[in-house]
């Protein structure tokens, strides 16, 4: 709810700080005292157009600060969080709007910069202002379906689930048709590609194995001559290894003749061992690097085939087996496509039937709720001097292109103000006073389902008095048990119903005219209601009547 409103240098208001509480608050004062300035100031905080003409003459800027106390689960919380403007738990929501005399404005939400468009988004969650020229809230037909659903406690969850299932089924079918059409156009190419990939029979990792084998065989071909020459030096009866063994045997016969000969024999034995190992290693290398020219040719042929196929399909050689499976699957879907389409069409039809059933139930529930709402509003109209008026809630089917997760109904509130007159939207045929009273009747009937936490009614009692004014006051008081209400009124019957009362008055000091707002105590309140009853000269009878009104409230 709105807890405080601070105004600086707005038109005739120099400095004003107001604190608000729960229940019904009345703002009264003589015509021209500046009640509209107060509402214009609140409108600024809620994103209304910033007009430099609102800045008080001689001031550099006008500043309006509105504070709201909101529960944690309030509808505005998500919007604030999305924009990084959420207040700390337990802290108020503070909106400040500054308008400069030379043009331009800026706004903050919880001391952080915010746009006027964001304030306009926040406004419906915070305050509803119903006045002579209101074109929002209950007058906006786009919100009527949600209001009717809230009134009738209608759950749209089943319809929403059915809608999403139907949309998903439609999308799957469309995707299948598109894939089938695309695949059918490529069928000849697919058949050829699958055939040649199948004939190639590529295996995972095959390209790497072939490449390594080819490299080894090419290396063997390059080293073959050197390996043969080295073998000739080492092997055979005249090879180096044989010569070492012969020398070792001959030295062995004489090694005992001198210590140095024994040392030489040991060294020669080691050389013989090393030479034998070298022979073995050389033989192993020769075997490993040996190649069959035909095998090398076959290996290269296979390797080049794999690489050529990979280039053709713009994939890596190792991806060829997977590509073959993928293309074969696509080809298979073409051949089995008809059956798949039939299955998806059946799923779509089932999802559509489920949506039809869910929305038919919604339409029935809305029609029943509309009848109850019409009866509730009809009961509120006669006491508000709208005896000749009729109210109805139309529930009509929307074209299929406008169906959605909340159903397929168009809902709109309509009235006929005179017998025999056709029904039409509220805003088109209701006069200013009728409009405010219709809104009040609707608000009471709807029991404030889904509304803002604060409502402002601007001169809802214009042009009425007596019993009608009393009926308005009674309904405002009843509505104020569910939400915070502020009413700008000229009716003593309405003012007497208020839980709090402020007097808006204009003062002059010979040079400057100012508008001020004063919170009235019990005695001041009786005096103001007496003034409203009698006019400029307040009589004792008016004071007594004011006291009776206050006691009756």
């Amino acid at each position: 709810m709105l807890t405080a409103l601070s105004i600086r240098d707005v038109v005739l208001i120099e400095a004003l700080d107001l604190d608000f509480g729960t229940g019904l608050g009345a703002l009264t004062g003589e015509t021209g005292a500046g009640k509209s300035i107060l509402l214009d100031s609140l409108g600024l905080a809620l994103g209304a157009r910033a007009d430099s003409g609102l800045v008080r003459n001689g001031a550099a800027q006008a500043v309006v600060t509105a504070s709201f106390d909101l529960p944690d689960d309030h509808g505005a919380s998500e919007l604030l969080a999305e924009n990084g403007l959420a207040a700390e738990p337990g802290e108020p929501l503070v909106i400040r709007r500054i308008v400069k005399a030379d043009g331009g404005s800026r706004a903050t939400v919880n001391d952080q910069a915010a746009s006027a468009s964001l304030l306009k988004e926040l406004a419906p969650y915070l305050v509803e202002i119903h006045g002579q020229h209101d074109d929002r809230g209950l007058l906006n037909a786009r919100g009527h379906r949600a209001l009717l659903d809230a009134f009738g406690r209608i759950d749209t969850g089943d319809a929403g689930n059915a809608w999403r299932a139907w949309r998903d089924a439609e999308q799957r079918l469309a995707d299948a048709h598109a894939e089938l059409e695309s695949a059918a156009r490529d069928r000849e190419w697919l058949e050829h590609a699958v055939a040649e990939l199948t004939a190639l029979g590529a295996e995972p990792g095959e390209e790497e194995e072939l490449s390594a084998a080819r490299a080894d065989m090419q290396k063997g071909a390059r080293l073959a001559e050197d390996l043969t020459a080295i073998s000739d030096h080492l092997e055979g009866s005249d090879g180096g290894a044989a010569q070492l063994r012969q020398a070792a045997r001959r030295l062995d016969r004489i090694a005992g003749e001198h210590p140095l000969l024994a040392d030489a024999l040991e060294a020669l034995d080691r050389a013989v061992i090393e030479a034998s190992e070298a022979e073995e290693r050389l033989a192993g290398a020769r075997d490993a690097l040996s190649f069959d020219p035909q095998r090398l040719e076959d290996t290269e042929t296979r390797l080049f085939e794999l690489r050529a196929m990979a280039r053709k399909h713009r994939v890596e050689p190792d991806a060829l087996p997977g590509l073959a499976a993928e293309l074969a699957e696509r080809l298979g879907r073409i051949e089995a496509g008809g059956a798949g389409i039939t299955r998806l069409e059946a799923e779509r039809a089932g999802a559509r039937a489920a949506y039809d059933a869910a929305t038919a139930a919604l339409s029935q529930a809305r029609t029943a709720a509309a009848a109850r709402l019409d009866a509730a509003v009809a009961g509120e109209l006669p006491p508000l001097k709208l005896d000749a008026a009729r109210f109805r809630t139309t529930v009509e089917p929307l074209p299929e292109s406008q169906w959605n997760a909340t159903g397929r109904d168009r809902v709109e509130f309509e009235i006929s103000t005179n017998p025999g007159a056709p029904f039409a939207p509220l805003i088109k045929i209701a006069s200013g006073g009728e409009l405010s009273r219709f809104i009040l009747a609707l608000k009471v009937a709807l029991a404030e389902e889904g509304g803002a936490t604060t409502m402002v009614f601007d001169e809802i009692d214009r042009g009425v008095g007596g019993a009608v004014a009393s009926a308005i006051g009674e309904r405002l008081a009843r509505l104020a048990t569910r939400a915070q209400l502020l009413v700008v009124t000229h009716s003593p019957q309405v003012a007497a119903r208020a839980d709090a009362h402020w007097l808006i008055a204009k003062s002059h000091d010979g040079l400057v005219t100012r508008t001020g707002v004063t919170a009235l105590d019990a005695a001041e309140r009786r005096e103001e209601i007496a003034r409203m009853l009698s006019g400029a000269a307040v009589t004792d009878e008016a004071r007594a009547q004011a006291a009776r009104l206050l006691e009756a409230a």
Side-chain angles (χ1 to χ4, degrees), residues 460-546:
I460 191 174
D461 48 17
R462 178 187 289 267
V464 300
V468 176
S470 295
I472 291 174
E474 187 274 330
R475 280 154 179 78
L476 288 171
R478 194 194 322 166
L479 196 56
T481 62
R482 305 184 185 96
Q484 180 190 46
L485 259 70
L486 299 174
V487 56
V488 176
T489 180
H490 291 285
S491 168
Q493 291 90 340
V494 172
R497 287 278 186 173
D499 300 298
H501 192 157
W502 293 271
L503 174 63
I504 304 172
K506 192 182 293 184
S507 63
H508 309 269
D509 63 3
L511 295 175
V512 179
T513 301
R514 296 181 176 86
T515 291
V517 181
T518 305
L520 303 181
D521 60 22
E524 293 168 334
R525 188 176 176 196
R526 187 190 66 173
E527 193 69 12
E528 168 61 8
I529 293 175
R531 181 199 65 77
M532 296 171 72
L533 286 165
S534 63
V538 180
T539 65
D540 288 340
E541 175 55 30
R543 291 187 179 95
Q545 179 63 19

Side-chain angles (χ1 to χ4, degrees), residues 376-406:
V377 174
E380 297 293 334
L381 296 180
L384 296 175
K385 203 177 179 180
L386 295 169
D387 311 61
R390 291 175 298 153
F391 172 87
R392 75 177 182 187
T393 305
T394 61
V395 181
E396 298 177 343
L398 286 166
E400 186 170 341
S401 62
Q402 297 179 27
W403 294 359
N404 56 43
T406 58

